[in-house]
Amino acid sequence: MDAQHSALNTRKQQATPRGVGVMCQWYAEKAENATIWDKEGKQYIDFAGGIAVLNTGHRHPKVIAAVTEQLTKFTHTAYQVTPYESYVALAERINARAPIAGAAKTAFFTTGAEAVENAVKIARSYTGRHGIITFGNGFHGRSFMTMAMTGKTAPYKRDFGVMPAGVFHARYPVPEKGISIDTALESIENIFSEDIAAHDVAAIVLEPVQGEGGFNVVPAEFLKRLRTLCDKHGILLVADEVQTGFARTGQLFAMHHYETKADLITMAKSLGGGFPISGVVGRAEVMDAPNPGGLGGTYAGSPIAVAAAHAVIDAIEEEKLCERANELGAELVVALKDIQRAAGDIVTDIRALGSMVAVELETAEQAKAIQTYAMEHGLLILTCGKYANVIRFLYPLTIPAEQFRHGVNILKKGFATLNDATAKAMEQFA
Ligand SMILES: Cc1ncc(COP(=O)(O)O)c(C=O)c1O
C-alpha cells in the first residue's frame, strides 16, 4: 500500500469506529461509469456498483444533468411541508411500471432499510396485525426492525441486544441445496403452529432474489403457493426489491419475471443512481391505510434524489438497460461456465437472473483469494452468501463491452491462481 493510503488508513482507524467495516484499503478520488480512480490515480473496474446502486453507472450524464438543473431551483423544502410536482410525477411513473395488481400508490423515503420499515408499518396498519415473517439468510437492513427481519446473526444482529418482537424466520427455498419448495412452505406452517397464529401475521416479506444471502432466485412455484397461502390467511405479500430493482435482473423489477403479484414492493439503491432515495409502491387501498402524518421523513423523497430517479428511469428505458442486463449476464455466465470446467470442484454453483449473477465456491477462503487477486489487478468485486463463499457481480449495466470483457478476464486469471490444475486449464486466458 502506498504512503498516502496508509496514512489515511491510520487517520481512519483513529477517527472512525471499526464497526463500520471497510473493504478497500484505498480511497476513491473520482469515478465515471464503470471506473473508479484512487488517490494515486490507479484505476479499478467497478463490478460492485456501490452495492447495487449504480445500475446506470457512476455519474450517468442524464443523472448529473437532472441533479444540476434541480440544484438551480431548490434543494429541500420537506415534501410534507411544501410539496413539489417531481415527487408526484415520480410516483406516477413508478405506479405505471410496478408489477402491482390494480391501482397503485408510491411513497418515497431515503434508505433501503427505511423503505422496508415503512412497508411493515403500512402492512400493520392495513391488516391491524403485528406479525412479520421473513426468510433465513435474507437481508433487509441495519435499523432495529430490519435487523430483526434479517436472517443472519453475525455481523448484523450479534451484540445488539433484544430484537423487536413479532418477527419470525421461515426457510428460503433453494431446492439445489436441499430446501425444497415443500420444505420452505412447511416452515411457514410450522411458524403458524409454533410461534404466531396465521391471523396475527401482517406480512410475509421476501427478496425475489436474495442479495446478501447469495443470489438465490425464488422458484416461481413457491411464489405462487406463497400467494395462495397469504390469501387464505389475509396476509400481505411484500417483495423487497431494494437490491433486485431497476433493470438489474433484466426487468425493471424482479417481480416482473413472475406471474405472482406482491401487495407491496420496496425499492432503493439503483432507483437514485447514486443519490439516496427509496420507496414503497403498493396496492392503493393498502398504501392508504396509515393516517396522514404516519408516513414520511424530513429528507424522504429529497428533490435532488427525485430528479436523479427520473433520469435513472429515462436512462433505463432510452438505453434499453434491461436488454443490456440480459446480454451482459448471459456473457458472464458463459465465462463462468468456462471457469467451472477448468476449476472443477472449486466452483459449486453459478446462479443468474439477468445481470444478477453469482458464482459459488467451495470455501470463503477461495472467494477471498479471488477477490484479493481481482483488487490487486484493478477489479472490484463483492462476496456474499451464508458462508461468504459466493462472488456476486453488480457492474453498471452501462459498462462498455471492452471494459466488461477486461474485467471478466481478470476474474478468469484470478481463478487460475487457485491451484495448478486450474492454472493449466486456464492457460488459454493468459
Ligand atoms: C434486499 C435489501 N433490503 C434492504 C437493504 C437495506 O438497504 P440500505 O442499506 O439502503 O438501508 C438492502 C441493502 O443491501 C438489501 O439488499
Side-chain angles (χ1 to χ4, degrees), residues 51 110-114 116 139-142 146 207 209 211-212 240-244 266 268-269 392:
I51 324 183
T110 310
T111 66
E114 226 187 328
V116 176
F139 182 82
H140 300 285
R142 286 183 165 87
T146 58
E207 294 165 89
V209 184
E212 307 297 307
D240 182 351
E241 291 238 29
V242 166
Q243 191 153 157
T244 50
T266 57
K269 294 192 183 267
R392 60 174 153 168

Side-chain angles (χ1 to χ4, degrees), residues 145-157:
M145 190 63 186
T146 58
M147 249 198 300
M149 292 166 71
T150 289
K152 190 174 181 185
T153 50
Y156 304 121
K157 311 202 237 199

Side-chain angles (χ1 to χ4, degrees), residues 369-380:
I370 305 277
Q371 191 183 32
T372 306
Y373 176 94
M375 182 90 84
E376 283 166 6
H377 292 80
L379 174 70
L380 202 56

Side-chain angles (χ1 to χ4, degrees), residues 328-346:
L328 291 168
E331 189 175 330
L332 181 54
V333 167
V334 168
L336 291 173
K337 285 191 173 154
D338 284 347
I339 289 174
Q340 188 173 34
R341 265 191 299 279
D345 292 345
I346 290 173

Side-chain angles (χ1 to χ4, degrees), residues 184-386:
L185 287 164
E186 220 175 271
S187 73
I188 299 175
E189 296 289 358
N190 285 344
I191 290 172
F192 292 160
S193 62
E194 294 167 7
D195 297 314
I196 181 168
H199 75 247
D200 287 327
V201 176
I204 298 182
V205 183
L206 163 132
E207 294 165 89
V209 184
Q210 283 194 322
E212 307 297 307
F215 283 23
N216 301 305
V217 183
V218 74
E221 190 201 329
F222 177 78
L223 263 190
K224 202 169 152 197
R225 289 170 65 186
L226 187 63
R227 179 77 262 180
T228 307
L229 189 76
C230 284
D231 291 344
K232 178 174 162 200
H233 296 292
I235 297 169
L236 295 178
L237 180 58
V238 181
D240 182 351
E241 291 238 29
V242 166
Q243 191 153 157
T244 50
F246 297 92
R248 173 55 48 189
T249 68
Q251 293 277 2
L252 193 62
F253 291 96
M255 288 301 285
H256 278 119
H257 288 283
Y258 300 93
E259 270 175 32
T260 303
K261 301 263 186 297
D263 299 291
L264 299 174
I265 297 176
T266 57
M267 69 200 91
K269 294 192 183 267
S270 274
L271 165 64
F275 291 83
I277 182 166
S278 65
V280 181
V281 60
R283 281 171 42 217
E285 64 158 336
V286 178
M287 290 297 294
D288 269 332
N291 282 310
L295 303 178
T298 306
Y299 287 109
S302 143
I304 309 282
V306 165
H310 276 290
V312 163
I313 295 174
D314 291 343
I316 288 173
E317 294 181 350
E318 290 164 16
E319 295 166 30
K320 301 195 172 6
L321 294 184
C322 288
E323 285 172 30
R324 194 69 190 128
N326 287 322
E327 287 161 12
L328 291 168
E331 189 175 330
L332 181 54
V333 167
V334 168
L336 291 173
K337 285 191 173 154
D338 284 347
I339 289 174
Q340 188 173 34
R341 265 191 299 279
D345 292 345
I346 290 173
V347 173
T348 54
D349 197 16
I350 297 165
R351 297 188 279 277
L353 189 64
S355 267
M356 199 148 179
V357 181
V359 55
E360 184 168 321
L361 310 183
E362 273 177 318
T363 66
E365 290 70 32
Q366 291 162 345
K368 185 82 204 151
I370 305 277
Q371 191 183 32
T372 306
Y373 176 94
M375 182 90 84
E376 283 166 6
H377 292 80
L379 174 70
L380 202 56
I381 49 175
L382 299 176
T383 57
C384 63
K386 184 172 180 181

